[in-house]
Structure formats: structure tokens, C-alpha cells
């Protein structure tokens, strides 16, 4: 798959973020966001209705803590074009999220990585041969990395301007794939 310049730049940016995270041994998790995200309506409603102690930072901390109980290396919080309805790993986080072992979790605009996940990504993304999301799916299928997703997606990608990597595509969370 030939990558365009935007995909290469995005991959380099994610690699740099992983390197910065790994250079700080006191950190156990990194939450990575691209510049074109918004809270999904479920998360936004939750934050608005539970004002005390439930900031987005606290919610991210609670999601990060599920890496211990659910055993993931990476958690996609903004999945798109996925085969939804995968194996349920952990349910009812904050009463709004499930953690799914989804098999085609694309998009990299909002995710959490553990140190192990960041090390795996560092080791398998040099040289850059394909997009970040596709390598994560491949590593997950190969059993080299546990990459799960929140259901529903906690964050949406909103930037669909002409300078976006794929401006004509409006990412959808779930998609039906025929013959797969």
C-alpha cells in the first residue's frame, strides 16, 4: 500500500510521541490525541452530568487502569471502520464504555498506549511501511500486541477539511465487511 505524504508525516509524528513517552520511565501510559478530535456525544453527556470528579483526565485515568484488568497494550478510543461487536473483554466502565477485542480497529486520532505497547510500535514501525492503524491491526492479528477498543468510541475525528489526509471520508465507527 503506497502511503501519501500526510500518512507518512502522521506516522512520523506518532513515532516521535512514542519515543518521547518511552524516554520518561516514570510514565506508565500515554494518551495520544491528534489535533482534530472531539468528545463523542456519550462521553460529553457523561462529563456534563457528572461534574464532580469526572473530568476527561479522570476518565482517561480510569480507562488506562483497564490495561491491568483487560490486559491490553493499546486502547483505541476513536476506532473507525471496525468490525464492531467483537469479543467483550471488560464491560461497564463508568457505565458507558465496554472494552472490545475488535479485529479491524482503524484510526489513530485518540488512543492510549502502555509502555509495552509503545515499545512494540517502536520496534515494528521502522522503517515506515504502512499506516499506524494498519500496523496495529496486523500486530494484533499476529498475536504480537493486544490492541483493543472502547465501545462506543470515546472520541470522534472532526477535521474533514481539504488538507486532511483523507478529506472525502467521514470515518464511521462500525462497518460491515462482506466476505471477511
Amino acid at each position: 500500500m503506497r502511503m501519501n505524504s500526510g500518512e507518512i508525516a502522521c506516522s512520523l509524528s506518532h513515532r516521535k510521541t512514542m519515543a518521547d513517552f518511552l524516554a520518561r520511565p516514570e510514565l506508565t501510559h500515554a494518551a495520544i490525541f491528534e489535533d482534530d478530535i472531539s468528545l463523542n456525544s456519550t462521553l460529553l453527556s457523561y462529563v456534563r452530568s457528572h461534574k464532580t470528579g469526572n473530568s476527561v483526565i479522570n476518565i482517561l485515568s480510569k480507562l488506562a487502569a483497564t490495561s491491568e484488568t483487560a490486559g491490553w497494550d493499546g486502547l483505541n478510543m476513536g476506532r473507525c471502520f471496525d468490525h464492531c461487536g467483537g469479543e467483550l473483554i471488560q464491560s461497564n466502565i463508568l457505565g458507558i464504555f465496554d472494552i472490545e477485542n475488535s479485529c479491524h480497529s482503524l484510526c489513530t486520532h485518540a488512543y492510549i498506549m502502555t509502555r509495552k505497547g509503545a515499545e512494540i510500535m517502536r520496534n515494528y514501525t521502522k522503517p515506515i511501511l504502512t499506516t499506524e492503524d494498519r500496523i496495529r491491526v496486523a500486530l494484533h492479528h499476529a498475536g504480537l500486541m493486544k490492541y483493543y477498543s472502547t465501545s462506543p468510541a470515546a472520541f470522534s475525528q472532526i477535521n474533514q477539511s481539504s488538507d486532511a489526509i483523507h478529506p472525502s471520508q467521514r470515518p464511521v465507527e462500525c462497518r460491515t465487511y462482506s466476505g471477511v
Side-chain angles (χ1 to χ4, degrees), residues 36-169:
D36 58 349
I37 62 149
S38 68
L39 300 176
N40 83 357
S41 59
T42 303
L43 183 56
L44 185 59
S45 294
Y46 182 85
V47 169
R48 286 181 174 159
S49 64
H50 296 82
K51 294 179 180 164
T52 307
N54 281 306
S55 67
V56 173
I57 297 295
N58 289 339
I59 293 166
L60 291 172
S61 294
K62 290 173 185 174
L63 286 171
T66 67
S67 67
E68 294 295 322
T69 55
W72 53 261
D73 304 311
L75 181 66
N76 190 334
M77 298 181 295
R79 70 179 177 175
C80 67
F81 305 115
D82 197 3
H83 295 275
C84 294
E87 174 191 5
L88 181 64
I89 303 297
Q90 189 169 344
S91 64
N92 204 26
I93 294 107
L94 303 169
I96 54 174
F97 294 115
D98 292 334
I99 305 291
E100 284 187 7
N101 179 3
S102 53
C103 61
H104 198 261
S105 181
L106 296 177
C107 292
T108 57
H109 54 272
Y111 60 95
I112 302 173
M113 280 288 172
T114 63
R115 294 191 72 73
K116 179 182 174 189
E119 289 169 359
I120 292 167
M121 288 303 297
R122 178 186 61 193
N123 294 337
Y124 285 94
T125 57
K126 190 174 183 178
I128 297 170
L129 301 174
T130 190
T131 60
E132 285 283 314
D133 50 0
R134 293 191 186 284
I135 193 70
R136 292 172 197 188
V137 169
L139 290 169
H140 180 73
H141 282 282
L144 299 169
M145 177 175 161
K146 290 184 180 175
Y147 192 59
Y148 297 159
S149 300
T150 60
S151 177
F155 297 89
S156 302
Q157 196 165 20
I158 57 171
N159 185 358
Q160 294 303 309
S161 66
S162 61
D163 64 346
I165 292 174
H166 303 289
S168 62
Q169 293 181 340

Side-chain angles (χ1 to χ4, degrees), residues 5-21:
S5 60
E7 290 168 327
I8 294 168
C10 186
S11 293
L12 289 170
S13 177
H14 285 271
R15 279 188 56 79
K16 171 77 167 102
T17 302
M18 296 292 171
D20 291 347
F21 165 51

